[in-house]
Amino acid sequence: MDRSGHRSMGSSSGSDRLRDLQAFDDTKAGVKGLVDAGVTTIPAIFHHHPLLLDDAEEDADVIPVIDLQADVDRGHLVGQVRAAAQCVGFFQVVNHGIPGELLEEMLAAVRRFNEQPAEGKKAWYSRDSGRRVKFNSNFDLFQSPAANWRDTLLLELTPRPGPAAEEIPPACRGVVGEYVEAVQGLGGALLELLSEALGLPPEYLGGLGGGLATMAAHYYPPCPEPHLTLGTTRHSDPSFLTVLLQESKGLQVLMRQRQRWVDVPPVAGALVVNIGDLLQLVSNDLFRSVEHRVLATTAAAEPRLSVACFFRPDYACTRVYAPVTTTPPPPLYRSTTMPEFLSHYRAKGLDGRSALHHFRIPPPSSPPH
């Protein structure tokens, strides 16, 4: 039984499930390997509880679209970003300065890597935390309640100067450096706007070590039974900020006011931006790190591609992070470090719970009557 009292959707025993997980991981072919093998039913390790698979609302107006080069004054632009960060936690940006051709080439590189023969990817398959570039399926495969229908190429970009060219797969080598540099510049501009939105100097959040630290290139193959699984489980991001490149639908955001999932529709040339857990902590809940998920790609659809860039301190950063607000309410979170925060996030995996709960200060108890 799970915490809700429902019977598990997985194998009949923990040892059977562990055996199945290990057998899948040992193929080093990821979910794409299952699709290439012609599976028509998905293995039980990918089965999610039905309560996690509820439908979403189609409301394209919920996620704001902000024009970064609109003919408005700086204060108006800061106000737009503040409203999006406070009310939704997600927004899309257009006219962001990154050429459309570069966005297209980055997605094409992700496709080239994942759609090459399986033998060409195995050299990159690893769960070694010391490797700066690695390919695998589900970073939390052995921790999460259910696996996701997704493969990922992960690049750790800190400490600088980042991975050497020979560490990057040939399919992506020619574009990764240019794309990382472009997104780093955009992220810096966004962190300045968010700093001003908090009433802080423009350089404040960037000075906390919120540079581009990790890039995750995701590949969501078509799934023969998408109603039984997810592409990515409900979660929030362990970052200050995430900048996402997506080419097709599937991303959904949980709107707390409605307690309903809402689609984040692809907008031509746009990049999706979302507030991360660290920024919610530092802003003392003024900005919202919102839970989101990705649906499994349907059997008749093309694979879904996305590239997520996470802005956060390096793993080894010893800086202490705590709410910076000096106005009510009092601090809602205890202080933490990047190693502590990421250790907790990775240990729990994508289990549907926010990592922030672990760091929230309990409200004072009421005095006895």
Side-chain angles (χ1 to χ4, degrees):
M1 296 284 185
D2 64 14
R3 297 185 186 93
S4 304
H6 297 280
R7 187 168 299 279
S8 170
M9 296 290 290
S11 299
S12 57
S13 73
S15 59
D16 289 343
R17 175 174 171 76
L18 181 59
R19 179 201 64 206
D20 294 345
L21 289 169
Q22 191 64 61
F24 167 70
D25 200 44
D26 286 345
T27 68
K28 298 185 178 182
V31 173
K32 178 69 160 53
L34 296 176
V35 174
D36 290 344
V39 296
T40 56
T41 59
I42 66 173
I45 60 172
F46 293 95
H47 288 191
H48 286 251
H49 194 283
L51 292 180
L52 301 177
L53 302 171
D54 51 332
D55 293 333
E57 294 179 357
E58 293 188 10
D59 190 344
D61 295 330
V62 170
I63 310 300
V65 178
I66 299 175
D67 186 343
L68 295 182
Q69 294 184 15
D71 187 18
V72 296
D73 62 36
R74 178 76 173 183
H76 182 80
L77 183 58
V78 169
Q80 287 182 293
V81 171
R82 180 189 299 112
Q86 286 180 326
C87 300
V88 185
F90 264 75
F91 55 98
Q92 304 203 56
V93 292
V94 295
N95 290 322
H96 42 65
I98 301 179
E101 295 82 1
L102 181 56
L103 303 181
E104 291 172 4
E105 178 52 29
M106 188 65 240
L107 289 172
V110 176
R111 185 182 297 277
R112 282 196 302 271
F113 173 78
N114 283 279
E115 296 184 356
Q116 66 181 307
E119 288 300 318
K121 295 183 287 188
K122 285 185 177 180
W124 310 99
Y125 198 95
S126 176
R127 297 194 181 276
D128 180 359
S129 60
R131 285 188 61 168
R132 302 188 67 177
V133 180
K134 54 182 174 285
F135 163 65
N136 61 44
S137 185
N138 293 257
F139 78 91
D140 57 347
L141 182 67
F142 295 96
Q143 290 83 38
S144 63
N148 292 306
W149 200 257
R150 178 193 77 245
D151 297 330
T152 301
L153 178 65
L154 190 74
L155 290 86
E156 300 294 353
L157 305 172
T158 57
R160 298 290 186 240
E166 60 270 19
E167 295 180 81
I168 300 172
C172 308
R173 194 172 293 165
V175 67
V176 162
E178 184 180 359
Y179 186 75
V180 165
E181 183 179 356
V183 176
Q184 176 72 61
L186 172 61
L190 291 168
L191 287 169
E192 289 183 356
L193 287 166
L194 288 161
S195 295
E196 293 178 60
L198 289 171
L200 299 167
E203 67 276 8
Y204 186 86
L205 291 175
L208 292 182
L212 176 50
T214 302
M215 185 173 81
H218 298 305
Y219 185 87
Y220 300 86
C223 179
E225 296 179 304
H227 59 289
L228 295 179
T229 191
L230 286 167
T232 302
T233 309
R234 168 179 175 168
H235 69 288
S236 55
D237 294 344
S239 60
F240 279 109
L241 189 72
T242 303
V243 176
L244 177 78
L245 169 61
Q246 64 169 359
E247 68 165 358
S248 56
K249 65 181 182 179
L251 176 63
Q252 297 181 333
V253 172
L254 183 63
M255 303 302 295
R256 295 177 188 171
Q257 304 94 323
R258 308 182 189 185
Q259 281 301 301
R260 293 287 293 174
W261 292 98
V262 173
D263 290 327
V264 182
V267 173
L271 290 164
V272 180
V273 179
N274 66 276
I275 304 302
D277 291 343
L278 285 174
L279 188 46
Q280 179 169 330
L281 185 151
V282 168
S283 72
N284 208 38
D285 277 1
L286 183 63
F287 293 165
R288 297 176 51 204
S289 177
V290 178
E291 293 173 313
H292 47 287
R293 69 180 184 183
V294 177
L295 299 181
T297 305
T298 59
E302 289 292 312
R304 182 180 188 273
L305 311 175
S306 69
V307 181
C309 291
F310 300 96
F311 288 76
R312 56 158 181 76
D314 177 69
Y315 289 123
C317 177
T318 57
R319 182 191 293 268
V320 175
Y321 295 94
V324 297
T325 180
T326 57
T327 59
L332 300 174
Y333 299 95
R334 67 174 177 85
S335 61
T336 186
T337 62
M338 199 68 236
E340 181 192 20
F341 194 93
L342 284 175
S343 293
H344 171 68
Y345 188 93
R346 288 174 165 177
K348 79 178 191 62
L350 301 186
D351 62 354
R353 298 175 298 159
S354 171
L356 284 171
H357 295 325
H358 181 71
F359 301 94
R360 186 174 284 273
I361 298 172
S365 56
S366 301
H369 296 289

